Amino acid sequence: MAKPVVAIIGRPNVGKSTLFNRLVGGRVAIVDDTPGVTRDRLYRDTEWQNTWMTFVDTGGIDLVEEESTILGQVRLQAAIAMEEADVIVYVVDGRTGLTPEDRELALLLRRTKKPIIVCVNKTDQFVNNFNALEFYSLGFGEPIPVSSLHGMNTGDLLDAIVQALPMNEEEHREPDIIPIAVIGRPNVGKSSLVNALIGQNRTIVSEIPGTTRDAIDTPFKANGQNFVIIDTAGLWKKKKVENGTDS
Ligand code: GDP
Ligand code: MG
């Protein structure tokens, strides 16, 4: 599976590049400059809690003329982040507080369904009493104060990022077992087909917890992929009994 992408976005000068360097510093494995449209974006892979992810510093985006305003840049960054990121780290400046550009960016970010972590940078000495309320008002949950310059609290930020990754969220986890239902009216040979499928060149594996709904669910493995084959004969019979009919 491709590494999850974590985009660092925010208006200019909030410390995105400093944070990026801090987060990937010392753990850099691959430097990957993707050519083409994203010419000036910086991608680096890093690892935290045994999880590999690709950080993107969106600061170096080459701007076309009409997008060269701060607002234009902010919009462009938001669009890119929404498109390719799995998690967005939204960096604001704890010293200056929120600006109109910050709020504009927040408005755009609100449209994405992706997890957003507000990172209050430049919280150099006052981690415990920064103006959290102001940043809470952005509506993206608990802001995380850090000092990218001094490396303060960046571990907490990385923890939060890893926790927000799609693969760590139950509902987004890719199923590693593929269920196959064999359906047809009684006596067409469903069970024989199932037996033939499982019997040939396949390894029947032990019951995988939570996958076996009843005796006719048979887990097996083929080409390294787990399947569970469901012979619906049992369901059919049960329904007939419930309805009290016979056909
Ligand atoms: P970017 O435009 O968002 O990428 O911001 P930069 O990373 O280039 O940083 C802008 C300025 O903020 C630089 O002068 C940094 O040294 C400074 N800066 C970044 N992080 C911190 C921090 O945690 N504390 C302080 N005091 N300054 C910082
Ligand atoms: Mg930068």
Side-chain angles (χ1 to χ4, degrees), residues 1-202:
M1 212 172 86
K3 288 181 209 66
V5 173
V6 182
I8 300 174
I9 80 162
R11 65 175 167 82
N13 225 38
V14 291
K16 294 182 300 297
S17 298
T18 312
L19 177 67
F20 175 83
N21 289 337
R22 177 64 67 176
L23 295 180
V24 303
R27 294 186 298 274
V28 176
I30 308 157
V31 178
D32 188 3
D33 291 323
T34 308
V37 283
T38 56
R39 183 155 57 101
D40 287 319
R41 259 181 296 160
L42 191 55
Y43 293 77
R44 283 201 186 175
D45 290 352
T46 195
E47 181 257 341
W48 185 258
Q49 289 181 14
N50 299 319
T51 304
W52 280 94
M53 50 203 147
T54 304
F55 277 96
V56 190
D57 180 9
T58 57
I61 296 166
D62 231 21
L63 298 169
V64 298
E65 197 58 42
E66 63 267 27
E67 284 169 334
S68 61
T69 60
I70 289 178
L71 215 59
Q73 180 166 353
V74 148
R75 282 207 182 100
L76 187 61
Q77 284 195 33
I80 291 165
M82 280 192 243
E83 191 182 305
E84 74 168 6
D86 293 298
V87 171
I88 294 165
V89 176
Y90 174 30
V91 185
V92 290
D93 187 329
R95 284 183 159 181
T96 60
L98 291 179
T99 67
E101 289 83 22
D102 287 328
R103 294 196 182 277
E104 167 80 15
L105 180 50
L107 223 59
L108 293 167
L109 287 178
R110 195 150 298 133
R111 292 185 198 154
T112 175
K113 297 270 183 288
K114 304 199 171 161
I116 294 163
I117 297 167
V118 176
C119 168
V120 185
N121 192 33
K122 308 192 188 180
T123 316
D124 297 344
Q125 285 133 30
F126 36 95
V127 167
N128 295 319
N129 68 351
F130 74 107
N131 188 4
L133 269 187
E134 181 184 12
F135 302 109
Y136 257 115
S137 76
L138 291 169
F140 298 125
E142 192 179 347
I144 300 178
V146 305
S147 169
S148 301
L149 206 59
H150 304 297
M152 237 154 55
N153 227 26
T154 49
D156 282 19
L157 177 64
L158 283 163
D159 285 348
I161 292 167
V162 168
Q163 212 170 15
L165 294 175
M167 67 229 202
N168 291 337
E169 283 185 335
E170 194 65 39
E171 72 258 37
H172 291 125
R173 199 171 290 163
E174 295 220 352
D176 55 2
I177 300 161
I178 299 173
I180 303 167
V182 179
I183 296 168
R185 58 177 176 77
N187 227 30
V188 291
K190 293 187 298 297
S191 297
S192 305
L193 175 65
V194 168
N195 289 341
L197 282 175
I198 295 165
Q200 271 181 346
N201 306 319
R202 283 170 176 86

